[in-house]
Amino acid sequence: MADLNPARDAVAADMPPNEEQRAFIDFMEGAALLHAPVGTGKTRSLADRAAAAIQRGVPADRILCLTFTNRAAQELRDRVTARCGQAGRHIMVRTFHSFCAWLLRQEYERVGLPPDFVIYDEQDAEDLLRYLMSTRFRDRPGAITHPGELYRNIQRAKADLAAQCPLRLGELRERVAGTFPAPLHDLILEYENELLAQRAVDFDNLVLFVRALFDEWPDVRERWRRRFVMLQVDEMQDTNLAEYLVLRELARGSGNIVLAGDFDQTIYEWRGSRPDEILRRFEKDFGPVRRFHFVQNYRSTRVLIEVAASVVSAYSQREPARADVRAPQGEPVGVHFADDSEEEARWIARRIQRLRAQWAAAGEELPYHRIGVLVRANYRAQDISRTFEALGVPHITVEEYEFFRRQEVKDALAHLRFALNPADSFSFRRTLQRPAQGIGQRTLAAIEAAQPHGLRLVDMVAPATLRWGEPFGHVLEAFDRGSITIFDAETTGTVPGKDEIVELAAVRLENGVPARRFHKFLRNTVPVGASEQVHGWSDDFLRRHGEDPAQVLAEFARFAAGSLLVGHNVNFDVAMLVGQAERLGVEMPVWEWADTWEMAHRFVQAESYALEELVETLALTPRQAHKAYEDVEATRELLTYLIPLVRNGAEARREVVSRFRAQFEAVARRVQTLRERVGVDHPYEVLKYALETSGLAAFYAREPRRKANLERLLDVFRRKDDPELTPRAALEMLVQSAALTSNVDLLEPEEGGVRLLTVHQSKGLEFDVVFVPGLCEREFPSARALASGRLDEEVRVFYVAVTRAKRRLFLTGHRYVIYPSGGCSPREPSRFLKLIGRHWRWEG
């Protein structure tokens, strides 16, 4: 049992870096490429380099590290914190898309998005397309296609567009739609408009919007160039050109950027990954570029390192990794071929149990979760899963990794998303489906037909609708015969309950006419940081001119008492106002409010709904943006423009609301109660309350697997709650992360059984023992790759598979495909078996 020697992670925490690692860690200025095959200490070295920079005086919050998964991000953050203590906690470590989402929230006014926008994952986007196809485009010839295929085409169109220059935010929707033929053009445009109406972006818009933001707004681009003085990008080989162009702009200020990865592991060409093209551009943009190459593998046995070197040498000229002198020899690769795929799966199951018994006899445990079965395609995982289940092998399947995409989980999250975002009609529609709420398709279609008059489904449960008979009744009444306070706040950031207001301005209208004005600066305890570049107020200025925040907020409460609050993206300003008042013990009244962003989107056709852009589009009075008082005046003028448009559709809206109001009253009460708990209870308690009061818990009680998934979601919300945030901010963070979290990130390291995954899902993971089934021609390599001549990427996928193993590797296949009709056809062994070299043996 040679492989039972302690080969696990020979790079211990206290082992000093080798010569090449030390040279990389000490490289503090300039552009560099780090090629580091698996097991050579890449993550540790990136963490050590960031920690060394902090210890040399670089502010941690000016270091940006981007990784491929949230799990990798957490590992790097933990390593830096372990070396630097509290100073390391402020380093920014994110996945690329979560970073883009964070950046867009900082720049929401320029982008024309609400700061609390939600992110639609792939399943959400497909469901939205399916809904549009079955309703608004049901009778449009040529518009019907499979929503999944259409969304993938949209993804490709956005990735191609994001790689182009220059881009303008207001043109993006039309340019994306313009890449499709006429029948689909209108559908794509409606899809993009519906996303915006629901205050949402899809996954691919995150990168596209950042690209356009940097192209269109030079001052924003310059601000972000100055924001970070050190950038480190891991898994660079999976970065596409659009993502690289964002990185290029971020790094042009300091020129201090590292692209790290195993460049031989490129397996995402289908989503635009082109490492050779990016390396060429990187050299041109930042040259001369320092190159580092880690070759010492500390993780695997000598046999497995030589096997990996043999595979990679088939397509790469780079020097492969070599074994550390302390690495054990290890066992040869086991190769087994069964008669058919079912017998192959049974052999793998028996071999797993036999290995566990052998290791136990030798005094070492082999937990199920340290075993990976890595397949090329989902269908093979499903076949193996059935066999494992029959033979009692605990395992976690491909489908279980799709946790946040499961029906019951998305049903639960829909309640929370709608509680947080009152404009999310798509989530609201989902909450009406399971369990059924007695609201039929004819009712929904009638409300949908009233959309040209400014009515949306979400209005049927809005407090203003229930009180005034239509969603804008309170606005019209307050403007004509009452009081309105239009206000705006400049802040230190975008997290309510954590960031602070530094400038607060307002104008009070009586019967539509300005009567009084309010303008104050507030002393801050949270540093303004990068927000100074937006609003212009420094910490020093606020110390000299700012007033006591508790006193200012109390004065504002008295100023606005008895009025309707109005603002552009007012939900954010209200959340900031209430959050800071709660921390300071200042009593704020429970206001009604209205949003000019929402009204403009319903009643004005515009390229962008940013306040600055609307002022230009509607020929309003130009003013300096991002100054609270100037924004208040712009919002007042915008509201005056919108009131006649809102009034025109009031009668039609009232008629529809009166017809269907009774059907929504019970649902409206439940939604309102849930929203009241959002700002008070912690996320776990809010989710539990939503499951009980919505009927979802009872609805899924008789389905053990779905019930277990809801319990697991509750556990995720309990474990991932951030006690440093307010309850609402913590809930927002959890709901947002659901769209950005890889399902691999979700699993606890020791949870469940054997990992039964696709090779793509296994990226970034490692196992003591790995099985790679299906090594037959037309399966691995796949039939599609053979037909299209894309064998290069298939070899790289095989390389990723074999390099997931630390101690034992088994490669299996089958000789025949058995058909349900009773026939069969022979299968040739995969050509990739010839690449593994001499270290293998047949397994019986």
Side-chain angles (χ1 to χ4, degrees):
M1 299 295 292
D3 67 318
L4 294 184
N5 292 328
R8 297 174 184 232
D9 302 323
V11 183
D14 56 351
M15 180 180 290
N18 63 35
E19 183 178 344
E20 189 68 12
Q21 290 170 341
R22 173 52 60 192
F24 172 74
I25 292 166
D26 289 340
F27 180 79
M28 286 288 154
E29 297 288 341
L33 281 170
L34 169 60
H35 174 58
V38 62
T40 56
K42 171 168 57 73
T43 301
R44 175 195 172 178
S45 297
L46 288 169
D48 283 352
R49 182 172 181 265
I54 294 170
Q55 291 165 348
R56 296 183 189 188
V58 177
D61 63 352
R62 301 196 69 190
I63 300 175
L64 172 63
C65 299
L66 299 177
T67 68
F68 190 69
T69 66
N70 287 291
R71 187 180 294 278
Q74 188 61 50
E75 178 186 354
L76 196 150
R77 188 183 297 108
D78 290 345
R79 287 178 181 269
V80 172
T81 303
R83 287 158 176 74
C84 300
Q86 290 299 310
R89 293 183 60 195
H90 300 291
I91 189 172
M92 180 166 287
V93 188
R94 292 177 177 264
T95 64
F96 189 86
H97 284 85
S98 71
F99 171 76
C100 286
W102 175 79
L103 188 153
L104 291 173
R105 294 188 199 283
Q106 315 308 304
E107 301 290 347
Y108 70 94
E109 291 179 296
R110 288 289 178 84
V111 183
L113 289 170
D116 56 351
F117 65 81
V118 296
I119 300 167
Y120 274 21
D121 61 30
E122 182 172 342
Q123 187 62 57
D124 294 327
E126 288 184 20
D127 287 346
L128 178 56
L129 285 167
R130 184 177 291 106
Y131 163 73
L132 293 174
M133 290 175 184
S134 64
T135 54
R136 301 176 201 175
F137 288 83
R138 180 176 53 193
D139 301 323
R140 298 281 292 274
I144 303 301
T145 184
H146 189 277
E149 180 182 351
L150 180 57
Y151 179 65
R152 286 188 287 275
N153 289 335
I154 294 173
Q155 285 181 302
R156 283 190 285 270
K158 289 183 177 179
D160 292 343
L161 180 58
Q164 300 173 22
C165 294
L167 298 174
R168 291 190 71 249
L169 287 159
E171 299 173 351
L172 296 180
R173 285 172 289 168
E174 181 56 52
R175 289 185 66 177
V176 171
T179 63
F180 291 83
L184 292 174
H185 173 279
D186 292 347
L187 172 60
I188 305 304
L189 199 58
E190 186 70 8
Y191 165 77
E192 293 295 327
N193 288 335
E194 191 62 27
L195 281 175
L196 190 59
Q198 299 188 50
R199 306 168 80 90
V201 298
D202 66 20
F203 198 66
D204 303 280
N205 276 344
L206 294 171
V207 178
L208 183 59
F209 283 6
V210 173
R211 280 279 301 108
L213 176 71
F214 284 170
D215 275 4
E216 187 170 351
W217 298 99
D219 61 322
V220 173
R221 184 173 66 238
E222 289 302 317
R223 182 162 68 246
W224 284 97
R225 284 179 177 177
R226 296 192 297 269
R227 176 67 173 81
F228 300 106
V229 296
M230 175 182 280
L231 283 81
Q232 298 189 140
V233 184
D234 197 5
E235 303 292 350
M236 167 268 157
Q237 72 276 1
D238 297 321
T239 301
N240 65 31
L241 182 56
E243 292 163 351
Y244 169 74
L245 293 175
V246 171
L247 295 171
R248 182 181 69 180
E249 296 305 330
L250 291 170
R252 273 188 163 162
S254 68
N256 191 7
I257 178 173
V258 165
L259 301 184
D262 181 351
F263 305 147
D264 295 322
Q265 274 196 50
T266 303
I267 60 172
Y268 286 98
E269 286 186 343
W270 54 271
R271 64 177 290 271
S273 174
R274 299 289 187 274
D276 291 339
E277 169 68 8
I278 290 174
L279 293 180
R280 184 187 66 77
R281 287 181 178 242
F282 187 59
E283 187 71 54
K284 179 181 177 182
D285 294 333
F286 294 97
V289 171
R290 178 79 177 270
R291 294 175 182 265
F292 297 91
H293 187 177
F294 292 175
V295 295
Q296 202 80 359
N297 185 299
Y298 298 92
R299 198 190 71 179
S300 301
T301 66
R302 290 178 178 274
V303 163
L304 294 181
I305 293 169
E306 290 186 28
V307 168
S310 179
V311 173
V312 79
S313 65
Y315 63 90
S316 173
Q317 300 301 311
R318 299 180 182 91
E319 181 183 358
R322 55 178 180 264
D324 178 68
V325 293
R326 289 151 293 193
Q329 177 65 20
E331 296 284 338
V333 174
V335 178
H336 176 84
F337 266 68
D339 284 340
D340 57 52
S341 61
E342 185 175 344
E343 180 55 40
E344 179 186 4
R346 284 197 292 269
W347 184 89
I348 292 172
R350 291 192 298 266
R351 196 69 177 87
I352 287 173
Q353 302 296 26
R354 180 178 160 197
L355 276 172
R356 281 169 48 81
Q358 289 175 335
W359 286 38
E364 186 174 4
E365 183 183 8
L366 177 60
Y368 283 114
H369 69 267
R370 297 302 307 153
I371 302 171
V373 179
L374 311 182
V375 300
R376 182 64 185 91
N378 285 345
Y379 74 87
R380 178 62 61 217
Q382 294 165 6
D383 293 342
I384 295 173
S385 175
R386 285 190 287 270
T387 300
F388 278 13
E389 190 145 346
L391 296 179
V393 178
H395 62 287
I396 293 177
T397 65
V398 173
E399 286 76 15
E400 287 174 293
Y401 265 72
E402 296 297 317
F403 180 74
F404 286 120
R405 311 297 183 261
R406 298 189 68 84
Q407 173 184 297
E408 60 277 10
V409 173
K410 294 191 78 67
D411 285 350
L413 291 175
H415 287 273
L416 303 184
R417 284 165 52 154
F418 185 49
L420 290 166
N421 176 14
D424 191 352
S425 61
F426 187 68
S427 290
F428 179 45
R429 184 181 291 270
R430 187 175 191 119
T431 68
L432 300 176
Q433 295 175 352
R434 286 176 294 271
Q437 303 296 310
I439 299 171
Q441 290 301 315
R442 289 186 179 181
T443 297
L444 298 177
I447 297 170
E448 170 92 12
Q451 187 166 310
H453 301 293
L455 185 70
R456 294 183 64 84
L457 178 62
V458 295
D459 297 329
M460 299 303 296
V461 294
T465 305
L466 300 179
R467 181 179 176 187
W468 297 92
E470 72 107 341
F472 301 108
H474 59 322
V475 182
L476 297 174
E477 177 67 19
F479 189 86
D480 292 339
R481 290 176 290 276
S483 301
I484 289 177
T485 297
I486 300 173
F487 83 110
D488 185 69
E490 298 296 335
T491 65
T492 60
T494 59
V495 182
K498 180 179 179 181
D499 285 304
E500 295 177 344
I501 298 171
V502 296
E503 184 186 12
L504 187 59
V507 58
R508 181 165 178 137
L509 308 184
E510 301 292 348
N511 303 326
V513 178
R516 288 187 289 154
R517 288 178 167 80
F518 181 97
H519 187 206
K520 299 279 187 178
F521 293 104
L522 291 75
R523 284 197 301 272
N524 57 313
T525 61
V526 176
V528 295
S531 70
E532 179 184 349
Q533 299 174 34
V534 178
H535 49 61
W537 311 124
S538 66
D539 290 329
D540 181 63
F541 174 89
L542 294 169
R543 274 193 300 271
R544 289 184 286 110
H545 298 283
E547 300 180 34
D548 176 67
Q551 182 178 332
V552 172
L553 294 181
E555 288 181 26
F556 178 79
R558 291 192 294 272
F559 175 88
S563 65
L564 173 73
L565 290 187
V566 172
H568 203 71
N569 278 316
V570 73
N571 290 353
F572 169 72
D573 291 313
V574 169
M576 292 297 300
L577 190 68
V578 172
Q580 189 165 356
E582 286 179 353
R583 293 202 309 275
L584 296 173
V586 176
E587 186 174 348
M588 282 282 172
V590 179
W591 278 299
E592 279 191 303
W593 63 81
D595 191 350
T596 51
W597 186 95
E598 182 69 32
M599 286 187 280
H601 188 269
R602 295 200 196 188
F603 298 102
V604 173
Q605 287 271 342
E607 289 184 348
S608 169
Y609 294 91
L611 183 59
E612 192 173 353
E613 293 292 308
L614 284 170
V615 166
E616 181 178 346
T617 299
L618 303 177
L620 307 180
T621 305
R623 290 180 172 86
Q624 184 178 3
H626 308 298
K627 301 294 183 185
Y629 188 73
E630 296 290 332
D631 285 350
V632 164
E633 286 300 312
T635 304
R636 179 188 63 78
E637 196 171 350
L638 174 60
L639 177 65
T640 303
Y641 179 94
L642 291 170
I643 285 294
L645 304 178
V646 175
R647 185 178 285 117
N648 283 344
E651 185 176 345
R653 294 192 298 272
R654 288 180 187 278
E655 191 275 330
V656 175
V657 169
S658 66
R659 284 171 56 197
F660 303 111
R661 177 174 181 163
Q663 297 181 44
F664 287 89
E665 286 179 346
V667 177
R669 287 193 297 271
R670 189 186 71 235
V671 169
Q672 186 58 32
T673 304
L674 180 61
R675 284 180 179 155
E676 289 170 358
R677 298 183 71 113
V678 162
V680 178
D681 296 339
H682 283 278
Y684 165 80
E685 295 163 332
V686 175
L687 174 58
K688 185 176 181 181
Y689 180 82
L691 291 174
E692 292 172 353
T693 58
S694 68
L696 273 180
F699 183 78
Y700 287 120
R702 296 183 180 180
E703 299 184 62
R705 180 167 291 187
R706 296 190 190 276
K707 179 183 176 183
N709 282 330
L710 292 179
E711 291 171 351
R712 186 177 178 194
L713 182 65
L714 281 166
D715 184 59
V716 170
F717 270 52
R718 184 192 293 110
R719 287 188 287 107
K720 302 294 185 181
D721 184 12
D722 188 342
E724 296 185 3
L725 298 177
T726 64
R728 181 184 180 90
L731 181 63
E732 287 176 339
M733 195 69 69
L734 283 166
V735 172
Q736 292 163 11
S737 69
L740 293 168
T741 296
S742 162
N743 292 291
V744 172
D745 294 330
L746 182 67
L747 286 179
E748 292 300 300
E750 297 184 3
E751 184 178 358
V754 173
R755 291 350 190 199
L756 178 48
L757 310 170
T758 66
V759 179
H760 283 82
Q761 285 179 315
S762 74
K763 189 77 179 290
L765 300 179
E766 58 187 44
F767 304 95
D768 286 334
V769 178
V770 166
F771 292 83
V772 185
L775 279 165
C776 311
E777 291 291 293
R778 301 184 64 77
E779 181 170 336
F780 202 171
S782 71
R784 181 178 297 180
L786 290 170
S788 60
R790 292 186 296 103
L791 276 175
D792 287 349
E793 183 166 353
E794 288 290 289
V795 179
R796 292 193 292 271
V797 174
F798 180 61
Y799 172 68
V800 170
V802 300
T803 55
R804 299 309 94 196
K806 295 168 62 177
R807 303 173 69 176
R808 292 299 308 270
L809 174 65
F810 296 90
L811 307 178
T812 69
H814 46 274
R815 300 182 183 89
Y816 297 96
V817 175
I818 308 297
Y819 299 113
S821 61
C824 68
S825 63
R827 275 282 176 92
E828 293 293 322
S830 170
R831 65 192 70 193
F832 296 157
L833 291 169
K834 298 177 181 178
L835 304 179
I836 63 175
R838 59 188 177 88
H839 294 294
W840 64 274
R841 68 183 176 209
W842 288 108
E843 295 273 346

